[in-house]
Amino acid sequence: MYAQLVETGAKKVPTLAEMTPEEQAFQAKIDAGIKIEAKDWMPEGYRKTLVRQISQHAHSEIVGQLPEGNWITRAPSLKRKSILLAKVQDEGGHGLYLYSAAETLGVSREQMVDDLHAGKARYSSIFNYPTLTWADMGAIGWLVDGAAIINQIPLCRCSFGPYARAMVRICKEESFHQRQGYDIMISLMRGTAAQQAMAQDALNRWWWPSLMMFGPSDAESINSAQSAQWGIKLFSNDELRQKMVDQTVPQAEHLGLRIPDPDLKWNEERGHYDFGAIERDEFYSVLKGNGPCNKERLATRVKAHEDGAWFRDALMAHAEKRAARAGKAA
Ligand code: BYC
């Protein structure tokens, strides 16, 4: 994939000859499949790339609780409510593992959270869309968690040990999330014509944003070549997007739903589906903060953080008191 990305004109990466001896030794470890641990020497760019990606990933999990959290009180049954509640709590847990993995690289959680709240750090574009009906809970689990699994399974094998290990448990939980979403879609499709229409409408609204989760096309992805060389990205954005389409189309057919893409067609020669391109303008507009819910999502997170200040202060006061007591006893 690395050579392919360089050919497509993605940002150039250094050759072995252009690297310092330390960088060459580091690259040799990556190429041999040896995990990089937090205390190992690493190029500053590798550290920065991981802090960027892992913190973005953590923020996505935390902000990602909001669209579904919106439906906990309105879930149609006690069973659906407890499943959704458990799922949303899992996402909070994923955020915490990921903040911890990023902290091993020397950045504090406060700094990462401040960067999110100041609009300096990104979170996944997908969470800037509204959840209008109960069918959206099905579509999110099925498509958004489905896309997350496809992106995250390879991350379990990425070069940075703490990130790779955090991903193992996260992927197991995402698998349950994906199934619960698909199960909601199955129930709706077994229901009335109005419920079936609701499921189709949710698919229509979530399909393209789900494909955008994989990032820009390989030709436009600025970080891919370097991340591939460093063993952070094992598959390109377009390769993973293709996997998502190939995996999801038969699932949609099984449900009796239509994918909203006139260009979607099985290509016998390639052994893959051909499909339309993501809407670039929409993707970049959401990244710039102009999606339907960007402002609302950020404002909700900032308010939650401010409302929780008393609790963090109380924890700090308690910790300081205990430390002072322990100091006196010693
Ligand atoms: N949204 O060079 P590229 C979940 C940015 S949460 C926003 O290809 P890279 C769940 C990208 O950051 C799952 N920004 O970048 C939770 C870069 O900008 P910067 C979240 C995006 O990093 C709750 C620029 O565009 N998953 O599953 O090589 C409920 C150029 O892109 C997006 C992860 O975070 C986007 N979609 O590749 C339910 C997975 N795409 O940072 C479910 C980990 C691109 O240079 N992350 N950008 O200013 C990754 O695998 C990679 O970071 C990406 C992007 C594939 C997303």
Side-chain angles (χ1 to χ4, degrees), residues 49 52-68 87-88 90-92 94 98 120-128 140-141 144-149 151-152 155 163 167 170 174 177 209-218 220-225 227-228 232-233 235-237 240-241 283-284 286-287:
T49 297
R52 176 182 65 78
Q53 178 166 326
I54 303 173
S55 65
Q56 172 177 311
H57 196 160
H59 299 326
S60 303
E61 301 283 358
I62 300 297
V63 178
Q65 292 182 290
L66 300 174
E68 288 172 291
K87 178 197 191 288
V88 172
D90 283 352
E91 309 297 0
H94 299 173
L98 288 162
K120 289 191 211 155
R122 298 185 190 283
Y123 58 88
S124 181
S125 51
I126 191 75
F127 303 115
N128 293 307
I140 290 182
V144 176
D145 288 272
I149 295 171
N151 169 276
Q152 290 170 188
L155 288 173
Y163 192 25
M167 291 319 303
I170 291 178
E174 297 293 19
H177 299 167
S210 299
L211 294 190
M212 290 176 197
M213 286 175 73
F214 296 95
S217 68
D218 291 353
E220 289 188 6
S221 167
I222 41 170
N223 302 303
S224 280
S227 289
I232 298 169
K233 265 189 167 175
F235 296 95
S236 77
N237 297 358
L240 294 177
R241 202 173 352 253
F283 175 67
Y284 287 113
V286 174
L287 256 60

Coordinates of all heavy atoms in Angstrom, one line a residue, residues 49 52-68 87-88 90-92 94 98 120-128 140-141 144-149 151-152 155 163 167 170 174 177 209-218 220-225 227-228 232-233 235-237 240-241 283-284 286-287, ligand 1:
T49 N 1.9 12.3 15.2 CA 0.9 11.7 14.4 C -0.1 10.8 15.3 O -1.3 10.8 15.1 CB 1.5 10.8 13.3 OG1 2.2 11.6 12.4 CG2 0.4 10.0 12.5
R52 N -2.2 13.0 17.5 CA -3.3 13.5 16.6 C -4.4 12.4 16.4 O -5.6 12.7 16.7 CB -2.7 14.0 15.3 CG -3.8 14.5 14.3 CD -3.1 14.9 13.0 NE -2.5 13.8 12.3 CZ -3.2 12.9 11.5 NH1 -4.5 13.0 11.5 NH2 -2.6 11.9 10.9
Q53 N -4.0 11.3 15.9 CA -5.0 10.3 15.6 C -5.7 9.7 16.8 O -6.9 9.5 16.8 CB -4.3 9.2 14.7 CG -5.3 8.1 14.4 CD -4.9 7.1 13.3 OE1 -4.2 7.5 12.4 NE2 -5.3 5.9 13.4
I54 N -4.9 9.3 17.8 CA -5.5 8.7 19.0 C -6.4 9.7 19.7 O -7.5 9.3 20.2 CB -4.5 8.1 20.0 CG1 -3.6 7.1 19.2 CG2 -5.2 7.4 21.1 CD1 -2.4 6.6 20.1
S55 N -6.0 10.9 19.8 CA -6.9 11.9 20.5 C -8.1 12.2 19.7 O -9.2 12.2 20.2 CB -6.1 13.2 20.9 OG -5.8 13.9 19.7
Q56 N -8.0 12.2 18.4 CA -9.1 12.4 17.5 C -10.1 11.2 17.7 O -11.3 11.4 17.7 CB -8.7 12.5 16.0 CG -9.8 12.5 15.1 CD -9.4 12.7 13.6 OE1 -8.6 13.6 13.3 NE2 -9.8 11.8 12.7
H57 N -9.5 10.0 17.8 CA -10.3 8.8 17.9 C -11.0 8.9 19.3 O -12.2 8.6 19.4 CB -9.4 7.6 17.9 CG -10.0 6.3 17.6 ND1 -9.4 5.2 17.2 CD2 -11.3 5.9 17.9 CE1 -10.2 4.2 17.1 NE2 -11.4 4.6 17.6
A58 N -10.3 9.3 20.4 CA -10.9 9.4 21.7 C -12.1 10.4 21.7 O -13.2 10.1 22.2 CB -9.9 9.8 22.7
H59 N -11.8 11.5 21.1 CA -12.9 12.6 21.0 C -14.1 12.1 20.3 O -15.2 12.4 20.6 CB -12.4 13.8 20.3 CG -11.2 14.5 20.9 ND1 -11.0 14.5 22.3 CD2 -10.1 15.2 20.4 CE1 -9.9 15.2 22.6 NE2 -9.3 15.6 21.5
S60 N -13.8 11.3 19.2 CA -14.9 10.7 18.4 C -15.8 9.8 19.3 O -17.0 9.8 19.2 CB -14.4 9.9 17.2 OG -13.6 10.7 16.4
E61 N -15.2 9.0 20.1 CA -16.0 8.1 21.0 C -16.8 9.0 22.0 O -18.0 8.6 22.2 CB -15.0 7.2 21.8 CG -14.1 6.3 21.0 CD -14.8 5.1 20.3 OE1 -16.0 4.9 20.6 OE2 -14.1 4.4 19.6
I62 N -16.2 10.0 22.5 CA -17.0 10.8 23.5 C -18.1 11.6 22.8 O -19.2 11.6 23.3 CB -16.0 11.7 24.3 CG1 -14.9 10.9 25.0 CG2 -16.7 12.6 25.3 CD1 -15.4 9.9 26.1
V63 N -17.7 12.3 21.8 CA -18.7 13.1 21.1 C -19.8 12.2 20.5 O -21.0 12.5 20.4 CB -18.1 14.0 20.0 CG1 -19.2 14.8 19.2 CG2 -17.1 15.0 20.6
G64 N -19.3 11.0 20.1 CA -20.2 10.0 19.5 C -21.2 9.5 20.4 O -22.2 8.8 19.9
Q65 N -21.1 9.7 21.7 CA -22.2 9.3 22.6 C -23.4 10.2 22.4 O -24.5 9.8 22.8 CB -21.7 9.5 24.1 CG -20.6 8.5 24.5 CD -20.2 8.7 25.9 OE1 -19.7 9.7 26.3 NE2 -20.6 7.7 26.7
L66 N -23.2 11.4 21.9 CA -24.3 12.4 21.9 C -25.5 12.0 20.9 O -26.6 12.0 21.4 CB -23.8 13.8 21.6 CG -22.8 14.3 22.6 CD1 -22.2 15.7 22.1 CD2 -23.4 14.5 23.9
P67 N -25.2 11.7 19.7 CA -26.3 11.4 18.8 C -27.2 10.2 19.3 O -28.4 10.2 19.2 CB -25.7 11.0 17.4 CG -24.3 11.5 17.5 CD -23.9 11.6 19.0
E68 N -26.6 9.2 19.9 CA -27.4 8.1 20.4 C -27.9 8.3 21.8 O -29.1 7.9 22.1 CB -26.5 6.8 20.4 CG -26.3 6.3 19.0 CD -25.3 5.2 19.0 OE1 -24.1 5.4 19.2 OE2 -25.6 4.0 18.7
K87 N -24.6 0.4 25.2 CA -23.7 0.7 24.0 C -23.1 2.1 24.2 O -21.9 2.3 24.1 CB -24.6 0.7 22.7 CG -23.7 1.1 21.5 CD -24.6 1.5 20.3 CE -23.8 1.6 19.1 NZ -22.9 2.8 19.1
V88 N -24.0 3.1 24.7 CA -23.5 4.4 24.8 C -22.4 4.5 25.9 O -21.4 5.2 25.8 CB -24.6 5.4 25.1 CG1 -24.1 6.8 25.4 CG2 -25.5 5.5 23.8
D90 N -20.4 2.0 26.7 CA -19.2 1.4 26.1 C -18.4 2.5 25.4 O -17.2 2.5 25.4 CB -19.6 0.4 25.0 CG -20.0 -1.0 25.6 OD1 -19.9 -1.1 26.9 OD2 -20.5 -1.8 24.9
E91 N -19.1 3.4 24.6 CA -18.4 4.4 23.8 C -17.6 5.3 24.8 O -16.5 5.7 24.5 CB -19.3 5.2 23.0 CG -20.3 4.5 22.1 CD -19.7 3.6 21.0 OE1 -18.4 3.5 20.9 OE2 -20.4 2.9 20.3
G92 N -18.2 5.6 25.9 CA -17.5 6.4 27.0 C -16.2 5.7 27.4 O -15.2 6.3 27.5
H94 N -14.5 3.5 25.7 CA -13.5 3.5 24.6 C -12.7 4.8 24.6 O -11.5 4.8 24.4 CB -14.2 3.4 23.2 CG -14.9 2.1 23.1 ND1 -15.7 1.8 22.0 CD2 -15.0 1.0 23.9 CE1 -16.3 0.6 22.1 NE2 -15.9 0.1 23.2
L98 N -8.7 5.2 25.1 CA -7.9 5.9 24.1 C -7.2 7.2 24.6 O -6.0 7.4 24.3 CB -8.8 6.3 22.9 CG -9.2 5.0 22.1 CD1 -10.4 5.3 21.2 CD2 -8.1 4.6 21.2
K120 N -9.4 23.0 18.1 CA -8.1 22.7 17.5 C -8.0 21.2 17.1 O -7.2 20.9 16.3 CB -7.0 23.0 18.5 CG -6.8 24.5 18.7 CD -5.5 24.7 19.5 CE -5.6 25.9 20.3 NZ -4.7 25.9 21.5
A121 N -8.7 20.4 17.8 CA -8.6 18.9 17.5 C -9.9 18.5 16.9 O -11.0 19.0 17.2 CB -8.4 18.1 18.8
R122 N -9.8 17.5 16.0 CA -11.0 17.0 15.3 C -11.6 15.9 16.0 O -11.0 15.2 16.9 CB -10.5 16.5 13.9 CG -9.9 17.5 13.0 CD -9.6 16.8 11.7 NE -8.8 17.6 10.8 CZ -9.3 18.7 10.2 NH1 -10.5 19.1 10.3 NH2 -8.5 19.4 9.4
Y123 N -12.8 15.5 15.6 CA -13.5 14.3 15.9 C -14.2 13.8 14.6 O -14.3 14.7 13.7 CB -14.5 14.4 17.1 CG -15.5 15.4 16.9 CD1 -16.7 15.1 16.3 CD2 -15.4 16.7 17.3 CE1 -17.7 16.0 16.1 CE2 -16.4 17.7 17.1 CZ -17.5 17.3 16.5 OH -18.5 18.2 16.2
S124 N -14.6 12.6 14.6 CA -15.1 12.1 13.3 C -16.3 12.9 12.8 O -17.2 13.2 13.5 CB -15.5 10.6 13.4 OG -16.0 10.1 12.2
S125 N -16.3 13.1 11.5 CA -17.3 13.9 10.8 C -18.7 13.3 11.0 O -19.7 14.0 11.0 CB -17.0 13.9 9.3 OG -16.8 12.6 8.8
I126 N -18.8 12.0 11.2 CA -20.1 11.3 11.3 C -21.0 11.8 12.4 O -22.2 11.8 12.3 CB -19.9 9.8 11.4 CG1 -21.2 9.0 11.2 CG2 -19.2 9.4 12.7 CD1 -21.6 8.9 9.8
F127 N -20.3 12.3 13.4 CA -21.1 12.7 14.6 C -21.7 14.1 14.5 O -22.3 14.6 15.5 CB -20.3 12.5 15.9 CG -19.9 11.0 16.0 CD1 -18.6 10.7 16.0 CD2 -20.8 10.0 16.1 CE1 -18.2 9.4 16.0 CE2 -20.5 8.7 16.1 CZ -19.1 8.4 16.1
N128 N -21.6 14.7 13.3 CA -22.2 16.0 13.1 C -23.5 16.0 12.4 O -23.9 17.0 11.8 CB -21.2 16.9 12.4 CG -20.0 17.2 13.3 OD1 -20.1 17.7 14.4 ND2 -18.8 16.9 12.8
I140 N -27.1 3.7 12.7 CA -25.8 4.1 13.3 C -25.0 2.8 13.8 O -23.9 2.6 13.4 CB -25.9 5.0 14.5 CG1 -26.3 6.4 14.0 CG2 -24.6 5.1 15.3 CD1 -26.5 7.5 15.1
G141 N -25.7 1.9 14.5 CA -25.1 0.7 14.9 C -24.6 -0.1 13.7 O -23.5 -0.6 13.6
V144 N -22.4 2.9 11.1 CA -21.3 3.7 11.8 C -20.3 2.7 12.5 O -19.1 2.8 12.4 CB -21.8 4.8 12.6 CG1 -20.7 5.5 13.3 CG2 -22.7 5.7 11.8
D145 N -21.0 1.9 13.4 CA -20.1 0.9 14.1 C -19.5 -0.1 13.1 O -18.4 -0.6 13.3 CB -20.9 0.2 15.2 CG -21.2 1.2 16.3 OD1 -20.3 1.3 17.3 OD2 -22.2 1.9 16.3
G146 N -20.3 -0.4 12.1 CA -19.7 -1.3 11.0 C -18.5 -0.7 10.4 O -17.5 -1.4 10.2
A147 N -18.6 0.6 10.0 CA -17.4 1.2 9.4 C -16.3 1.3 10.5 O -15.1 1.1 10.1 CB -17.8 2.6 9.0
A148 N -16.6 1.6 11.7 CA -15.6 1.7 12.8 C -14.8 0.4 12.9 O -13.6 0.3 13.0 CB -16.2 2.1 14.1
I149 N -15.5 -0.8 12.8 CA -14.9 -2.1 13.0 C -13.9 -2.3 11.8 O -12.8 -2.7 12.0 CB -15.9 -3.2 13.0 CG1 -16.8 -3.1 14.2 CG2 -15.2 -4.6 12.9 CD1 -18.0 -4.1 14.2
N151 N -12.4 -0.1 10.0 CA -11.2 0.8 10.2 C -10.3 0.3 11.4 O -9.1 0.4 11.3 CB -11.7 2.2 10.5 CG -10.7 3.2 10.9 OD1 -10.4 3.2 12.1 ND2 -10.1 3.9 10.0
Q152 N -11.0 -0.2 12.4 CA -10.2 -0.5 13.7 C -9.6 -1.9 13.8 O -8.7 -2.0 14.5 CB -11.2 -0.2 14.9 CG -11.4 1.3 15.0 CD -12.5 1.7 16.0 OE1 -12.9 2.8 16.0 NE2 -13.0 0.8 16.7
L155 N -6.2 -1.6 13.1 CA -5.4 -0.9 14.1 C -5.0 -1.7 15.3 O -4.0 -1.4 16.0 CB -6.3 0.3 14.6 CG -6.5 1.5 13.7 CD1 -7.5 2.5 14.2 CD2 -5.2 2.2 13.4
Y163 N -1.8 1.6 21.7 CA -3.0 1.9 20.8 C -3.5 0.5 20.3 O -4.7 0.3 20.4 CB -2.5 2.8 19.6 CG -3.7 3.4 18.8 CD1 -5.0 3.6 19.2 CD2 -3.4 3.7 17.4 CE1 -5.9 4.1 18.4 CE2 -4.4 4.3 16.6 CZ -5.7 4.5 17.1 OH -6.6 5.0 16.3
M167 N -7.2 -1.2 21.1 CA -8.2 -1.5 20.0 C -8.8 -2.9 20.1 O -9.9 -3.1 19.6 CB -7.5 -1.3 18.7 CG -7.1 0.1 18.3 SD -8.3 1.3 18.7 CE -9.7 0.7 17.9
I170 N -11.8 -2.7 22.3 CA -12.8 -1.8 21.6 C -13.5 -2.6 20.5 O -14.7 -2.5 20.3 CB -12.1 -0.5 21.2 CG1 -11.7 0.3 22.4 CG2 -12.9 0.3 20.2 CD1 -10.9 1.5 22.1
E174 N -17.4 -3.1 19.7 CA -18.0 -2.6 18.5 C -18.8 -3.6 17.7 O -19.8 -3.4 17.0 CB -16.9 -2.0 17.5 CG -16.1 -0.8 18.1 CD -16.9 0.4 18.3 OE1 -18.1 0.4 18.4 OE2 -16.2 1.5 18.4
H177 N -22.1 -3.8 19.1 CA -22.8 -2.6 18.7 C -23.4 -2.7 17.3 O -24.5 -2.3 17.0 CB -21.9 -1.3 18.8 CG -21.3 -1.1 20.1 ND1 -20.3 -0.2 20.3 CD2 -21.7 -1.5 21.3 CE1 -20.0 -0.1 21.6 NE2 -20.8 -1.0 22.2
P209 N -22.5 9.7 4.8 CA -21.7 10.1 5.9 C -20.8 8.9 6.4 O -19.7 9.1 6.9 CB -22.7 10.6 6.9 CG -23.8 11.1 6.1 CD -23.9 10.2 4.9
S210 N -21.4 7.7 6.4 CA -20.6 6.5 6.9 C -19.4 6.3 6.0 O -18.3 6.0 6.5 CB -21.5 5.3 6.9 OG -22.6 5.5 7.8
L211 N -19.6 6.4 4.7 CA -18.5 6.2 3.8 C -17.4 7.3 4.0 O -16.2 7.1 3.8 CB -18.9 6.2 2.3 CG -19.8 5.0 1.9 CD1 -19.9 4.9 0.4 CD2 -19.2 3.6 2.4
M212 N -17.9 8.5 4.4 CA -16.9 9.6 4.7 C -16.1 9.4 5.9 O -15.0 10.0 6.1 CB -17.7 10.9 4.8 CG -18.3 11.4 3.5 SD -19.3 12.9 3.8 CE -20.3 13.0 2.4
M213 N -16.5 8.5 6.8 CA -15.7 8.2 8.0 C -14.3 7.7 7.6 O -13.4 7.8 8.4 CB -16.4 7.1 8.8 CG -17.6 7.5 9.6 SD -18.4 6.1 10.4 CE -17.2 5.8 11.7
F214 N -14.1 7.1 6.4 CA -12.8 6.6 6.0 C -11.9 7.6 5.6 O -10.7 7.3 5.2 CB -13.0 5.5 5.0 CG -13.8 4.3 5.5 CD1 -15.2 4.2 5.3 CD2 -13.2 3.3 6.2 CE1 -15.9 3.1 5.8 CE2 -13.9 2.2 6.7 CZ -15.3 2.1 6.5
G215 N -12.3 8.9 5.5 CA -11.4 10.0 5.2 C -11.5 10.3 3.7 O -12.2 9.7 2.9
P216 N -10.6 11.3 3.3 CA -10.6 11.7 1.9 C -10.1 10.5 1.0 O -9.6 9.5 1.5 CB -9.6 12.8 1.8 CG -8.8 12.7 3.0 CD -9.6 12.0 4.1
S217 N -10.2 10.7 -0.3 CA -9.7 9.6 -1.2 C -8.2 9.5 -1.0 O -7.5 10.5 -0.6 CB -10.0 10.0 -2.7 OG -9.2 11.2 -3.0
D218 N -7.6 8.4 -1.4 CA -6.2 8.2 -1.3 C -5.4 9.4 -1.9 O -4.3 9.8 -1.4 CB -5.7 6.9 -1.9 CG -6.3 5.7 -1.0 OD1 -6.8 6.0 0.0 OD2 -6.1 4.6 -1.5
E220 N -6.0 12.4 -2.1 CA -6.1 13.6 -1.3 C -5.7 13.4 0.1 O -5.6 14.4 0.9 CB -7.5 14.2 -1.3 CG -7.9 14.7 -2.7 CD -9.3 15.4 -2.7 OE1 -9.8 15.6 -1.6 OE2 -9.7 15.8 -3.7
S221 N -5.4 12.2 0.5 CA -5.1 12.0 2.0 C -3.6 12.4 2.2 O -2.7 11.8 1.8 CB -5.2 10.5 2.3 OG -4.7 10.2 3.5
I222 N -3.5 13.5 3.0 CA -2.2 14.0 3.3 C -1.3 13.2 4.2 O -0.1 13.2 4.1 CB -2.3 15.5 3.9 CG1 -3.4 15.5 4.9 CG2 -2.4 16.5 2.8 CD1 -3.4 16.8 5.7
N223 N -2.0 12.5 5.1 CA -1.2 11.7 6.1 C -0.9 10.3 5.8 O -0.1 9.6 6.5 CB -1.9 11.8 7.5 CG -2.2 13.2 7.9 OD1 -1.3 14.0 8.1 ND2 -3.5 13.6 8.1
S224 N -1.6 9.7 4.8 CA -1.6 8.3 4.6 C -0.2 7.7 4.4 O 0.1 6.7 5.0 CB -2.5 7.9 3.5 OG -3.9 7.8 4.0
A225 N 0.5 8.3 3.5 CA 1.8 7.7 3.1 C 2.7 7.5 4.3 O 3.3 6.5 4.5 CB 2.5 8.5 2.0
S227 N 1.9 7.6 7.5 CA 1.3 6.7 8.5 C 1.5 5.2 8.0 O 1.6 4.3 8.9 CB -0.2 7.0 8.7 OG -0.3 8.2 9.4
A228 N 1.4 5.0 6.7 CA 1.6 3.6 6.2 C 3.1 3.2 6.4 O 3.4 2.1 6.9 CB 1.3 3.6 4.7
I232 N 1.2 2.6 11.1 CA 0.0 3.1 11.8 C -1.2 2.7 10.9 O -2.2 2.2 11.4 CB 0.0 4.6 12.1 CG1 1.2 4.9 13.0 CG2 -1.3 5.0 12.7 CD1 1.5 6.4 13.1
K233 N -1.1 3.0 9.6 CA -2.2 2.6 8.7 C -1.8 1.4 7.9 O -0.7 1.4 7.2 CB -2.4 3.8 7.7 CG -3.4 4.7 8.1 CD -3.7 5.7 7.0 CE -5.0 6.4 7.3 NZ -5.3 7.5 6.3
F235 N -4.0 -0.2 5.9 CA -4.8 -0.2 4.6 C -5.2 1.3 4.3 O -5.3 2.1 5.3 CB -6.1 -1.0 4.8 CG -5.9 -2.4 5.0 CD1 -5.9 -3.0 6.2 CD2 -5.7 -3.3 3.9 CE1 -5.7 -4.3 6.4 CE2 -5.5 -4.6 4.1 CZ -5.4 -5.2 5.3
S236 N -5.3 1.6 3.1 CA -5.6 3.0 2.7 C -7.0 3.3 2.9 O -7.9 2.4 3.1 CB -5.2 3.3 1.3 OG -6.2 2.7 0.4
N237 N -7.4 4.6 2.9 CA -8.8 5.1 3.1 C -9.7 4.4 2.1 O -10.7 3.9 2.4 CB -8.8 6.6 3.0 CG -8.0 7.3 4.0 OD1 -7.5 6.7 4.9 ND2 -8.0 8.7 4.0
L240 N -10.3 0.6 2.6 CA -11.2 0.3 3.7 C -12.6 0.7 3.3 O -13.6 0.0 3.6 CB -10.8 1.0 5.0 CG -9.5 0.5 5.6 CD1 -9.1 1.3 6.8 CD2 -9.5 -0.9 6.0
R241 N -12.8 1.8 2.5 CA -14.1 2.2 2.1 C -14.7 1.1 1.1 O -15.8 0.7 1.2 CB -14.0 3.5 1.3 CG -15.3 4.3 1.2 CD -15.2 5.7 0.6 NE -13.9 6.2 0.4 CZ -13.3 7.1 1.1 NH1 -13.9 7.7 2.1 NH2 -12.1 7.6 0.7
F283 N -18.0 16.7 2.7 CA -17.0 16.2 3.6 C -16.2 17.3 4.2 O -16.0 17.5 5.4 CB -16.2 15.2 2.9 CG -15.0 14.6 3.7 CD1 -15.2 13.9 4.8 CD2 -13.7 14.9 3.4 CE1 -14.2 13.4 5.6 CE2 -12.6 14.4 4.1 CZ -12.9 13.7 5.2
Y284 N -15.6 18.2 3.3 CA -14.7 19.2 3.8 C -15.5 20.3 4.6 O -14.9 20.9 5.5 CB -13.9 19.8 2.7 CG -12.8 18.8 2.2 CD1 -12.8 18.2 1.0 CD2 -11.8 18.5 3.1 CE1 -11.8 17.3 0.6 CE2 -10.8 17.6 2.7 CZ -10.8 17.0 1.4 OH -9.9 16.1 1.1
V286 N -18.1 19.7 6.5 CA -18.3 19.2 7.9 C -17.0 19.3 8.7 O -16.9 19.7 9.8 CB -18.8 17.8 7.8 CG1 -18.9 17.2 9.2 CG2 -20.2 17.7 7.2
L287 N -15.8 19.0 8.0 CA -14.5 19.1 8.7 C -14.2 20.5 9.1 O -13.6 20.7 10.1 CB -13.4 18.6 7.7 CG -12.9 17.2 8.0 CD1 -14.0 16.1 7.9 CD2 -11.7 16.8 7.1
Ligands
BYC1 N1 -13.7 13.0 10.2 O1 -4.8 12.4 5.6 P1 -6.0 11.8 6.1 C1 -16.8 5.2 16.7 C2 -9.1 14.5 8.6 S1 -15.6 6.5 16.7 C3 -13.0 14.1 10.6 O2 -6.6 10.6 5.4 P2 -5.5 10.2 8.5 C4 -18.1 5.4 17.3 C5 -7.8 13.9 9.1 O3 -7.8 13.9 10.6 C6 -14.5 6.0 15.4 N2 -11.7 14.3 10.2 O4 -5.9 11.6 7.7 C7 -18.2 6.2 18.5 C8 -6.8 14.9 8.5 O5 -6.8 16.1 9.2 P3 -5.6 16.5 10.2 C9 -13.5 7.1 15.1 C10 -11.3 13.5 9.2 O6 -5.4 10.6 9.9 C11 -19.4 6.4 19.1 C12 -7.4 15.2 7.2 O7 -8.8 14.9 7.3 N3 -12.5 6.3 14.4 O8 -16.5 4.3 16.1 O9 -4.3 9.5 7.9 C13 -20.5 5.8 18.5 C14 -6.8 14.4 6.0 O10 -7.1 13.0 6.1 C15 -12.0 12.4 8.8 C16 -11.2 6.8 14.3 O11 -10.9 7.9 14.8 C17 -13.3 12.2 9.3 N4 -14.1 11.2 8.9 O12 -6.8 9.3 8.2 C18 -20.4 4.9 17.4 C19 -10.2 5.8 13.7 N5 -11.3 11.7 7.8 O13 -5.8 15.6 11.4 C20 -19.2 4.7 16.8 C21 -8.8 6.3 13.8 C22 -10.1 12.4 7.7 O14 -4.3 16.2 9.5 N6 -8.5 7.2 12.8 N7 -10.1 13.4 8.5 O15 -5.9 18.0 10.5 C23 -8.1 6.9 11.5 O16 -8.0 5.8 11.1 C24 -7.6 8.0 10.6 O17 -7.3 9.1 11.4 C25 -8.6 8.4 9.5 C26 -8.1 9.6 8.7 C27 -8.9 7.3 8.6 C28 -10.0 8.9 10.1

